[in-house]
Amino acid sequence: MKIRIAEYGDINTISCVLAASWKSAYRGIVNDDYLDRLKDDHWVDFLTTGFDNGDHFAMILEDDQHIIVGAAILRGERNIANLISFYLLPEKIGHGFGHALYSGVEDELRNRGFRKCVLDVLGHNKRAILFYKKHGFTSTDEVIKTTLGNGEYFCNVYEKRVR
């Protein structure tokens, strides 16, 4: 496994990883019609704009064959990082890839001087909530409403000190 900062040439692949992960992770949580219409290039404009503006950066996890199997997208302001996205290809979940990627993310946050990391996660995404709690995140009790397609969903906000 190799963890590295993403480059422009990785944008299309990162978008594909996110799309595959969403279609798997959110099945039964988010409207199936919305997930079925998600295109592999759904996040390309978002990633390109964020890279161009310096608004965010991404870290990727490659397997032993140098295939991108996971990605984390982050945005930072002052000393607080916002973990916008953290996804693995569905077949890589449960094999230590998520832990490896998160460890790399936390190292990078520490290197960049961030003191805290925040994220939001769909309230019904129990697997993700357990993952984040296992990695030291705690609930802030803040809830955010988001719209995906025609559905409204609630996300719980979590935070962690970066040490």
Side-chain angles (χ1 to χ4, degrees):
M1 285 186 263
K2 179 182 177 184
I3 300 159
R4 65 176 173 83
I5 301 293
E7 303 167 351
Y8 271 98
D10 300 318
I11 288 175
N12 288 326
T13 305
I14 292 169
S15 186
C16 289
V17 168
L18 270 58
S21 184
W22 269 62
K23 290 175 183 179
S24 175
Y26 298 139
R27 190 70 60 186
I29 298 173
V30 172
N31 183 293
D32 284 349
D33 183 54
Y34 178 80
L35 295 174
D36 292 339
R37 287 185 285 113
L38 260 180
K39 304 264 190 256
D40 285 347
D41 66 354
H42 181 81
W43 285 273
V44 169
D45 288 343
F46 166 74
L47 291 166
T48 302
T49 301
F51 278 29
D52 286 344
N53 295 341
D55 290 339
H56 60 252
F57 66 97
M59 299 192 64
I60 58 173
L61 172 67
E62 296 177 332
D63 67 10
D64 294 334
Q65 287 78 40
H66 308 288
I67 297 170
I68 296 173
V69 299
I73 303 166
L74 299 110
R75 170 179 37 234
E77 191 171 313
R78 286 174 254 168
N79 61 353
I80 300 172
N82 182 347
L83 182 56
I84 300 168
S85 295
F86 187 93
Y87 294 101
L88 298 174
L89 288 175
E91 64 271 19
K92 299 300 182 182
I93 294 172
H95 301 286
F97 287 92
H99 175 73
L101 179 57
Y102 181 75
S103 294
V105 165
E106 193 161 312
D107 288 344
E108 184 65 21
L109 294 179
R110 205 172 9 263
N111 290 340
R112 290 181 182 225
F114 290 106
R115 303 242 185 235
K116 183 165 65 168
C117 183
V118 297
L119 59 88
D120 60 82
V121 60
L122 286 171
H124 292 292
N125 191 348
K126 302 301 181 201
R127 178 178 231 154
I129 291 168
L130 288 173
F131 176 85
Y132 293 126
K133 284 182 175 181
K134 181 178 177 182
H135 287 86
F137 284 86
T138 57
S139 175
T140 65
D141 295 326
E142 181 181 353
V143 176
I144 299 170
K145 183 168 68 170
T146 189
T147 302
L148 299 171
N150 293 327
E152 289 187 345
Y153 304 90
F154 295 93
C155 296
N156 300 322
V157 178
Y158 288 81
E159 67 182 9
K160 176 184 181 178
R161 283 199 159 291
V162 176
R163 301 186 192 271

